[in-house]
Structure formats: structure tokens, C-alpha cells
Amino acid sequence: MLSSITVGHIKSFYDPQTLTLSEANGAKGSGYNVIVGANNSGKSNFISLVAQLLAPEQSLTIGREGRHASEKPVIKVGWSHTNGEIADVSIDPNADGAIFKKVGSYQGLHQSLRFVPSRRPFAPDYQIGGIMPSDYEHGDLISRRGNLGYFDTQLASAIARHFNDPSDKALFLAELQEIDPSSANFMTDNVGGRNVMLYEGPSRRPHVLSDTGDGITNLLRIVFALATSRQGDCLIIDEPELSLHPQIQRNLYQHLLSYSEDRQIIVVTHSPHFVGWKEISTSSRLCRVYVNQGGHSTVASPSASSFNAVRAHANITSRKFYDAVCKELFFADKALLVEGADDVHYLENYLDEVGAKPLPFMGYGCGGASAIVPWMRLCVEMGIKCAALFDGDKSEDYIKALAEFADQGDIARSYILFKDDIRDKHRRSDTGVETNEVLKEGVFNRRGKIHPQNSEALKALIETIRLYLN
């Protein structure tokens, strides 16, 4: 399994960036690692370099467009063997040209590394005999790198070989059906003189695999990597969510967590369904790759203390922190942090009413004024630019935020509402029901209509926050 990855002075990576990974220890989720980030932030380059470094060739090529003229490229991984030893594998940076020799004990490691790329369609035709899984993956890696228009013609043959053992085939189908219960069967057959893979879906009618949607072919490639892996292996899966229904994504995530008990899973994703708050705040590892203001790809991984601080202040047992809307924060480049759901609701409705562009609210709010600062720390550690808006009656929390992030105004800034609350506060009856008596006027009335005298102040505040975030 991989203990660490370091990349520097290659493409958008300048100063060397290191990611320390979580390794499987027998507990569910212990070997699960998730890498997030915007498109073109460098995520795929980061992980594909690992696959190239651990391939059996004695060297790898870094073309002119990937090298930095004034610095030597850095690619290094720490490989954790089952006996507890850590082997360093890297490149010798002193190359004359594009060919860099490998340094360290890399031979044979590709057999313990499974790399599932993001583009996964494959031809349905197979050859009798097939190829070994690790040989297939190595050939696939080489072919993809040398041909941008590459189409996989070997995976079907590798699956056919795996299906030679009826028990292996049964386990493959069982895994497929656990993730996608509508998959009835997947088999080898001969149609019109062609050896082809046939798939049966909800209709229970077999058809050639090429006639299915991209989601199924993508899923089959992932299941093949899982089903042919061994304990102690490392599986890197780039964009597992491609063309998959949200429920299947959730099923696949749970399946990957189960595998992470005794295998290392590294997922690169744009989907919140592959991030679990419970897991990343305990045993799993979350990493974000982003491009900083200088145009350099940067690797950030929040500390356990930051997650625990959020857990201590926010009501993290609330299911809202577990749904996709809240988890979108981990994929954001910028965020507006407010106290609670009322703030999000009233402000978003107002922006819609006046025809203004939306703001990047974090989920349903932070769970109270005292929770905003911990969320700000988490954003800062992940490189997410954040603005925090406190209610007017929470000046102590606002002042605390100002003090803590005084020297980080380029990434975290605090604002305070010009009213004590976002909406009017009404006196409640003895039974807890709101009456019509207004105790404290807010920005909006309880029906969501802004008090006319607050329009200009709110407009100015929103524009100030918008200018900062943009």
C-alpha cells in the first residue's frame, strides 16, 4: 500500500507537494482515501504519475511540456509492505532529456497496484485464454499514455479469463448485483461468430455489452479491479461516479468502504456521494488538490483536530451534515458560511426574488454561531476561500473570528449582519407557538419579505461579500 505520494516541478505542480495516505488496518474505512478538487486542478496527473512510477519499466518519460526549465522534477512514493517496511521509489532527476530512470525497489509492485482510469469504455469482443489482471492493467496504462484516442480492446478478454473459474464468476456477479441490484447477469457468449460479452439488465434480455449505457461499462471495469484484487493491494479509481445513478454511487461507496478494511482504496472524485463525513473525520483521509493564486497545484489535507473541532461545536449527529448538499463544501473553491438554515433560506430566496446571482452558501448553515470559526479553520486548511456572516447579536463570535484570521484575509474574512437576526423574532405562547407580537425586528419578516428600510443595507453587504469571494 502507498504511505505517501510526493510530486513537484511537473506540469502545474511547482514546489513539491506531499500527501500522506491512510492504510487499511482491518477497520471499515481505514484504507479509504478520497481526493477532491476542481477540473484541471492536477488530480489526475497526481495519481497517474504514481501508476507510471510503479510500472515495471526501468524509466518513465516526462515530456518538455511537463518539465520546468529551472527545476528538477520530483516523483516519489513510499510503498508500505505487509512486513511493515517502507520502500521509497522515485526518479533520478538528473536526466538529459525526457527519460528519467527509476530509483528504488519498484519491480513487482505493479501487481499490487490496480489503477482504474477515468475513461473506461471497452469493446465487447474477447479472445479465448485472456490475460492476467495485472498484465492487462499495465498494458492499458501504456496504451492510454501513447494514444489519446485509445479504445480498450483487452478488458473483455481479461474478464473472460477470470470467468474460467465458476466461483470467480459467481463472486463477480454477486459484487455487481450488490452495487447495482438491477443487473441480472453478465456473461461470455458467441453471437454471429463473435465471442462477445452479454449483459442482462432490468429487462432480463441479454444484449451485447456495447449496446449498454456508459454507466454499466464503467461499473464493470471497477468491479473487475475489485474482484481480482488481493488483501494488501492498493486500488486507485479515477472518477468512479461516471454516468452512474446517485443511488448506485452510494452503493458503490459503501462497497469500497468494505474493501478498505484490508485494501487501500484511493478515489479521485467530483461526487459528494464518495465522501462520508463520519469516515473522513475518523479513519479515512480526505485530500483536496487546488490551484493557488500563483497558478500552482497545491495538495491540502485537513487535520484531525479541525474535523474534531467542527464535531465539538456543530450538531454533527444531524443528518443534514451527511447529505450531498453539505458535503459539497469539500468540492468548493469558495464558500459563504452562515449560522443556520434560516439564514440560507431567507438570503437565497431574496437573491432569487431580486434576480441576483446566487452565493456559494455552505450547506444549510454551520449549526450555530459558535460553529462558524471551526468551519472557517477547515476551509483554510483545504484552501477554500470563505466569507463568514454572523448575526448582529453574535458580536463576540464575530470578534473572535476577526482576531483568529486577521492575517489570513486573502482566504478567510468575517462580516456581521446589521440586524440581530435574519428574520423577526416573535413572542411564543406557553405551548411554543409563535404569536404575532414581534419582540425583535430582523432583516426579513417571517414570511420572507424584506423590511423596506433594510434593502439598501442588505444590498451593500451582499455586494461586499460577493466582491471578496470573487
Side-chain angles (χ1 to χ4, degrees):
M1 289 181 277
L2 291 165
S3 60
S4 63
I5 305 170
T6 300
V7 175
H9 308 302
I10 298 175
K11 295 190 176 180
S12 59
F13 290 91
Y14 285 73
D15 292 336
Q17 301 292 308
T18 298
L19 170 62
T20 302
L21 295 152
S22 177
E23 300 178 42
N25 61 15
K28 185 177 180 180
S30 59
Y32 188 80
N33 299 266
V34 56
I35 301 176
V36 301
N39 292 322
N40 297 314
S41 60
K43 304 184 305 299
S44 293
N45 284 332
F46 194 70
I47 59 166
S48 64
L49 286 170
V50 174
Q52 295 172 44
L53 183 62
L54 297 183
E57 286 78 25
Q58 295 180 349
S59 59
L60 62 80
T61 298
I62 303 174
R64 178 181 295 274
E65 74 283 358
R67 304 195 304 270
H68 297 180
S70 60
E71 299 288 350
K72 302 292 187 180
V74 176
I75 312 173
K76 181 180 179 180
V77 302
W79 184 269
S80 179
H81 289 284
T82 53
N83 62 7
E85 294 182 359
I86 304 294
D88 288 331
V89 182
S90 61
I91 59 170
D92 182 349
N94 299 304
D96 182 15
I99 300 175
F100 292 80
K101 292 183 178 180
K102 297 178 183 178
V103 179
S105 302
Y106 58 88
Q107 291 293 346
L109 292 185
H110 75 286
Q111 296 175 357
S112 297
L113 177 74
R114 312 302 305 278
F115 179 68
V116 181
S118 60
R119 298 175 181 87
R120 297 189 284 273
F122 63 96
D125 302 75
Y126 67 88
Q127 301 296 323
I128 299 296
I131 54 178
M132 293 290 291
S134 59
D135 293 333
Y136 156 71
E137 294 212 348
H138 176 231
D140 186 67
L141 176 69
I142 299 301
S143 298
R144 289 176 187 273
R145 190 178 187 197
N147 180 5
L148 295 178
Y150 171 72
F151 187 74
D152 191 342
T153 60
Q154 296 299 313
L155 179 55
S157 297
I159 294 175
R161 176 178 180 134
H162 185 66
F163 280 8
N164 283 337
D165 186 327
S167 62
D168 286 341
K169 179 181 179 180
L171 287 173
F172 185 103
L173 290 175
E175 294 205 31
L176 175 62
Q177 291 164 356
E178 182 175 337
I179 300 167
D180 178 14
S182 69
S183 293
N185 204 352
F186 180 56
M187 71 201 87
T188 57
D189 210 323
N190 188 282
V191 176
R194 295 169 57 200
N195 291 329
V196 292
M197 291 286 175
L198 297 184
Y199 172 79
E200 288 184 24
S203 68
R204 300 300 192 267
R205 293 181 60 83
H207 48 273
V208 178
L209 179 61
S210 55
D211 294 335
T212 66
D214 290 343
I216 292 299
T217 54
N218 287 331
L219 183 58
L220 289 169
R221 175 67 178 85
I222 295 171
V223 172
F224 175 71
L226 293 170
T228 56
S229 67
R230 303 164 298 179
Q231 291 185 7
D233 282 357
C234 171
L235 293 91
I236 301 176
I237 307 173
D238 196 0
E239 298 188 62
E241 69 273 14
L242 291 178
S243 301
L244 291 181
H245 185 277
Q247 185 57 61
I248 296 179
Q249 292 184 43
R250 288 190 285 268
N251 293 346
L252 178 55
Y253 171 62
Q254 291 300 322
H255 201 65
L256 294 176
L257 284 182
S258 296
Y259 262 91
S260 70
E261 293 181 15
D262 57 17
R263 294 161 176 79
Q264 186 177 51
I265 306 292
I266 302 174
V267 165
V268 180
T269 183
H270 293 283
S271 170
H273 296 302
F274 289 91
V275 180
W277 173 264
K278 176 183 176 183
E279 287 76 30
I280 61 175
S281 59
T282 52
S283 57
S284 299
R285 178 65 60 90
L286 171 72
C287 165
R288 179 170 181 262
V289 180
Y290 67 97
V291 179
N292 65 20
Q293 292 180 343
H296 301 177
S297 288
T298 306
V299 175
S301 187
S303 64
S305 61
S306 291
F307 280 119
N308 289 333
V310 171
R311 290 168 62 90
H313 287 82
N315 180 18
I316 210 65
T317 60
S318 171
R319 293 310 302 176
K320 70 181 182 182
F321 288 103
Y322 291 78
D323 77 2
V325 174
C326 182
K327 291 185 292 185
E328 284 179 3
L329 173 70
F330 301 125
F331 300 83
D333 287 323
K334 50 193 175 183
L336 174 54
L337 310 177
V338 296
E339 291 185 23
D342 273 0
D343 302 85
V344 177
H345 176 73
Y346 284 96
L347 289 171
E348 282 199 328
N349 282 352
Y350 167 78
L351 293 172
D352 187 54
E353 270 190 20
V354 300
K357 291 182 179 179
L359 286 166
F361 290 97
M362 191 285 284
Y364 309 102
C366 294
S370 64
I372 291 181
V373 167
W375 280 108
M376 292 178 75
R377 291 180 194 138
L378 195 59
C379 285
V380 168
E381 287 193 10
M382 296 182 69
I384 299 170
K385 190 172 187 177
C386 65
L389 179 59
F390 294 84
D391 286 350
D393 60 354
K394 295 296 189 291
S395 58
E396 289 185 9
D397 294 291
Y398 167 68
I399 292 170
K400 183 188 299 183
L402 284 178
E404 180 167 340
F405 301 100
D407 59 347
Q408 294 176 312
D410 58 333
I411 193 170
R413 190 168 292 179
S414 301
Y415 301 86
I416 191 163
L417 200 62
F418 51 87
K419 288 286 187 177
D420 281 354
D421 210 315
I422 196 68
R423 76 171 183 96
D424 295 347
K425 290 301 180 185
H426 291 250
R427 186 179 66 79
R428 291 184 177 273
S429 67
D430 293 340
T431 59
V433 178
E434 279 192 354
T435 68
N436 292 327
E437 181 184 347
V438 177
L439 298 177
K440 189 183 295 185
E441 184 185 275
V443 179
F444 300 90
N445 64 28
R446 63 182 172 187
R447 294 186 303 277
K449 299 299 181 182
I450 190 168
H451 293 298
Q453 65 271 24
N454 296 329
S455 293
E456 290 303 316
L458 181 60
K459 181 180 179 181
L461 177 61
I462 286 174
E463 285 309 306
T464 300
I465 293 172
R466 193 188 300 279
L467 284 172
Y468 168 70
L469 288 175
N470 291 336

